[in-house]
Amino acid sequence: MPKLLYFCRMLLNAEVIGKLLAPLKIEELNELQSEALEAAKQDGDFVLLADTGSGKTLAFLLPILSYIDEKAAGTQALVIVPSRELALQIEQVFKTMGTGLKVTCCYGGHLRETEENNLIEAPALIVGTPGRLADHIRRNNIHTGTIKTLVLDEFDKSLELGFQDEMSFIIGSLSSVNKKILTSATAATEIPDFVGLQSPRTLDFLTGEKTERLSLQQVLSPDKDKLDTLFRLICRLGARSTVVFCNHRESVERVSAFLKDKGIVNVFYHGALEQPERDSALAKFRNGSSNFLVTTDLAARGLDVPNIRYIIHYHLPTTEDVYTHRNGRTARMEASGTAIFILSPEETVPAYLPEQPEMIDLPATTTLPDKPKWTTLFISAGKKTRSTRSTWSALHQQGTAEKEDIGLIEVKDFFCFVAIRKSSVAHTLQLIKDQRLKNKKLKIDVAK
C-alpha cells in the first residue's frame, strides 16, 4: 500500500489542503474553516462559534493537523465531545481525509478492552466522551504527557452538569497542552475557570443566515394527543428523510409503535438503547431503509445524516438551545430544510422564533408514503476481523446480479451494515448464507 500523506508542524499549504479535501468531496475551504486555520497560527487559545452544519469539524481538524509532528511519538491531540455519535462522526471525517495518522475513538457502550488494544500503540489523535476518556486516563491507558492540543467540541454540552467533574479531571491531567480550541453552535455558555483558556479569542460566525434556508411551519392538532395529526402530517410530506423529536424516551417508543401500526416504516433512537441498537437504527436511517427517525434530543447533536428534509417538533423544544440544535439536523451547509411544529390546543410556538411559522392545513384523506426500496443486512464481519473484502466479494459475485443492488455500507469494528435493494434480499441471503471466515460461519441476516 502506498504511503499516505504525513504532516509536519505548520506545513498545510494549498496543495496539501486540496488533497485532504478531495476525499471529502469538498473543493475549497469556506470562510469559517479558512479563518480557523489562520487563528491556529496565532498565539493563544480560541473559541469558534458557528451554526450547526457550517463545517466546524473540519475547522478544528485542520488546525490539529497543522500542530501534529508525525516524527514525534505519543498522542499529540485530544478531542472531547458530548456524545458517542459525534465522536464516531469526527473519527470518520479524519479517516476519510487520508492523513496516514492513527486515530482512536473512545466512548461508553462497547467493550473497553477493544479501545485498550487500540491505545497500546499511541494514536496521534484521540476522540472521545468525557466518562470513557477519564476512565482510560485513570487506568494509564492514555499517556497525557505528549498531548499538546485540546479541542472541546460542542463544549456547551460537554460542560453541562454531570460532565463537570470528568472534564475538570481530564483537563487537569493535561500538563503539556499549549493550544485549546472550543467550538459551539450557541454563544451563551459560561466557560468554567478549570478549562484554563490563555489569551482566548472568539471567532463568531453565528450570523443567522442559516434561518434563510430553513422554512418554519406549524400545524394545529385538535387534541392534546398529537399522534393522529403526526400521522396525517407524515402522509402529506411523503417519503422524504424526516426526524421526529420527542422530549421523553417513552414518548419516542409510543410514537414509533403508533406509526408502525399505521403502516409507516420508521426507526427509533434514544439513550436507553444498547449501542448495537443505536448503530442499527442510525444505519437504517442513513441508508434509506427507513425515511423516518423518531428520537429524543440525543440526536440533536452529532447526528450527521445528509439531506434530512424535515424536522418535526412533536414536542416543543425545552429551550432555545435545544431548538437550535434540533433544527441543525437539516438545512446543513448550502441545503434547505423545513422545521414543523405540531401544536395542541393549549400550545403556542416559542417566543424566540425569528418569525411566525407558516400555518399548514392537512388533507381530509391520507395516502401512505412510499415504502423504502432498501433493506439493511447485518453481517458479523468488520474492521477488526479484516474480512470485509471477502464479504463484499461474496455480495457482489454470489449474492446479487447487479452492483446497483448494493447501497450504503457501514463497517464497524466487528460487524457491518449493508443496504440491499428489497427485491434482491431473499435471493442474496440464500446465496451468501453459508459464507465463512476462518472456518467460522458468518452471521448474515436482516438487521433487527
Side-chain angles (χ1 to χ4, degrees), residues 246-289:
C246 303
N247 288 345
H248 312 286
R249 296 168 178 173
E250 297 78 8
S251 300
V252 164
E253 297 197 21
R254 176 172 178 260
V255 169
S256 176
F258 175 85
L259 294 178
K260 181 179 179 181
D261 289 342
K262 285 286 192 176
I264 295 178
V265 178
N266 74 92
V267 291
F268 67 87
Y269 178 79
H270 59 63
L273 297 178
E274 297 295 328
Q275 188 62 37
E277 295 175 299
R278 293 191 190 191
D279 290 338
S280 179
L282 292 184
K284 291 176 183 178
F285 186 56
R286 270 191 288 262
N287 67 29
S289 295

Side-chain angles (χ1 to χ4, degrees), residues 71-297:
K71 297 179 181 179
T75 298
Q76 299 180 56
L78 177 67
V79 179
I80 306 177
V81 297
S83 71
R84 67 192 74 180
E85 289 75 23
L86 186 53
L88 289 166
Q89 174 191 325
I90 294 168
E91 179 193 38
Q92 184 57 48
V93 172
F94 190 82
K95 287 182 175 180
T96 302
M97 292 163 72
T99 66
L101 298 168
K102 183 180 177 182
V103 57
T104 291
C105 200
C106 301
Y107 55 89
H110 70 156
L111 289 176
R112 187 185 66 247
E113 289 76 12
T114 300
E115 296 173 357
E116 288 176 341
N117 291 333
N118 291 336
L119 292 167
I120 291 174
E121 181 184 345
L125 170 64
I126 296 175
V127 185
T129 54
R132 182 54 66 91
L133 289 174
D135 186 35
H136 280 305
I137 291 173
R138 292 187 177 100
R139 294 173 182 271
N140 292 319
N141 296 326
I142 294 176
H143 302 288
T144 61
T146 56
I147 297 175
K148 306 293 185 182
T149 306
L150 173 65
V151 175
L152 306 185
D153 191 24
E154 302 282 12
F155 72 87
D156 53 314
K157 190 68 174 180
S158 294
L159 294 174
E160 284 182 354
L161 185 65
F163 287 108
Q164 293 270 349
D165 290 344
E166 291 157 332
M167 294 291 292
S168 178
F169 168 75
I170 294 169
I171 294 173
S173 302
L174 305 177
S175 58
S176 301
V177 166
N178 53 33
K179 177 68 74 172
K180 297 186 181 82
I181 303 171
L182 277 62
T183 82
S184 180
T186 54
T189 303
E190 182 178 351
I191 301 173
D193 291 339
F194 67 73
V195 176
L197 292 183
Q198 300 294 319
S199 305
R201 296 185 301 121
T202 298
L203 304 181
D204 190 348
F205 284 83
L206 294 172
T207 63
E209 293 178 358
K210 181 177 175 59
T211 59
E212 297 177 5
R213 302 191 302 274
L214 179 70
S215 301
L216 299 179
Q217 297 179 341
Q218 59 180 314
V219 60
L220 301 181
S221 170
D223 305 307
K224 184 176 180 180
D225 192 325
K226 307 175 186 179
L227 286 174
D228 186 64
T229 302
L230 173 64
F231 168 70
R232 292 192 295 124
L233 173 61
I234 287 177
C235 289
R236 180 184 186 274
L237 300 178
R240 302 289 296 276
S241 184
T242 301
V243 181
V244 180
F245 279 105
C246 303
N247 288 345
H248 312 286
R249 296 168 178 173
E250 297 78 8
S251 300
V252 164
E253 297 197 21
R254 176 172 178 260
V255 169
S256 176
F258 175 85
L259 294 178
K260 181 179 179 181
D261 289 342
K262 285 286 192 176
I264 295 178
V265 178
N266 74 92
V267 291
F268 67 87
Y269 178 79
H270 59 63
L273 297 178
E274 297 295 328
Q275 188 62 37
E277 295 175 299
R278 293 191 190 191
D279 290 338
S280 179
L282 292 184
K284 291 176 183 178
F285 186 56
R286 270 191 288 262
N287 67 29
S289 295
S290 171
N291 293 316
F292 303 98
L293 173 69
V294 186
T295 180
T296 60
D297 289 318

